[in-house]
Amino acid sequence: MQIFATFEYSTYLELAISELEKKEIRRENIFIVPLDNRTEDRKMFDSLHRADGVSLIDLGMALATAFSVVGASIGFKLEWGPIYWGIISAIIGFILGFLIKLFIFKVIKKKKRLLRGKHGEIIIIVDCDGRQVEMVEQILWNNLALGVSKVIKEKK
């Protein structure tokens, strides 16, 4: 039987491995695979087929609405009238909101990601017999595994 578990790279990973070795799981039966970190930056603009849930235009739309109301109100006293000034101020509000969101995601969120030091996860595969499954699962969960799954190997 094989047990798969994912961990963030931490001391708990080392503790889990040493505890498994103490419980008579041989080193040859523990396989550890580190996942690679993403090398290129995430794309800022979504396509039709891929979206990451981050919106750059939501603040722009809100500011466009607010600016257009104020611009139309002031436009009654100006030469071009409320419609033109409402449209002009909506465009200014949208561009301002878009640039604010772009700055937040490009500068502020990038710094937070770099400071946090997000590392890739580690996958551990433990090959054991049926009697040891519960014990191995419990060791992995106790050492803060992100997820654990077991696969039954077919007999040939």
Side-chain angles (χ1 to χ4, degrees), residues 58-152:
D58 57 349
L59 182 62
M61 290 298 194
L63 287 181
T65 304
F67 277 44
S68 67
V69 169
V70 173
S73 300
I74 294 173
F76 281 107
K77 296 179 183 175
L78 299 176
E79 183 179 335
W80 289 353
I83 294 176
Y84 284 124
W85 283 108
I87 291 171
I88 290 169
S89 34
I91 292 170
I92 292 170
F94 178 79
I95 291 172
L96 182 67
F98 180 80
L99 291 176
I100 289 171
K101 269 294 212 181
L102 192 63
F103 176 77
I104 287 172
F105 282 111
K106 281 293 226 185
V107 176
I108 296 173
K109 296 273 183 167
K110 185 174 184 178
K111 282 183 184 175
K112 284 184 183 177
R113 271 197 318 265
L114 292 176
L115 289 175
R116 232 183 321 167
K118 190 71 172 168
H119 299 291
E121 295 178 351
I122 307 288
I123 298 174
I124 295 182
I125 304 169
V126 180
D127 199 12
C128 61
D129 56 7
R131 299 178 315 244
Q132 297 173 319
V133 171
E134 293 297 324
M135 178 213 30
V136 171
E137 269 189 305
Q138 197 60 39
I139 289 172
L140 296 173
W141 282 122
N142 288 343
N143 286 293
L144 303 179
L146 298 175
V148 175
S149 178
K150 54 188 165 192
V151 176
I152 301 170

Side-chain angles (χ1 to χ4, degrees), residues 23-41:
K23 299 289 184 174
E24 298 177 2
I25 304 289
R26 292 196 328 249
R27 203 173 264 249
E28 301 87 47
N29 294 338
I30 301 172
F31 187 66
I32 301 167
V33 181
L35 298 176
D36 293 333
N37 289 333
R38 184 179 197 95
T39 55
E40 73 268 359
D41 285 339

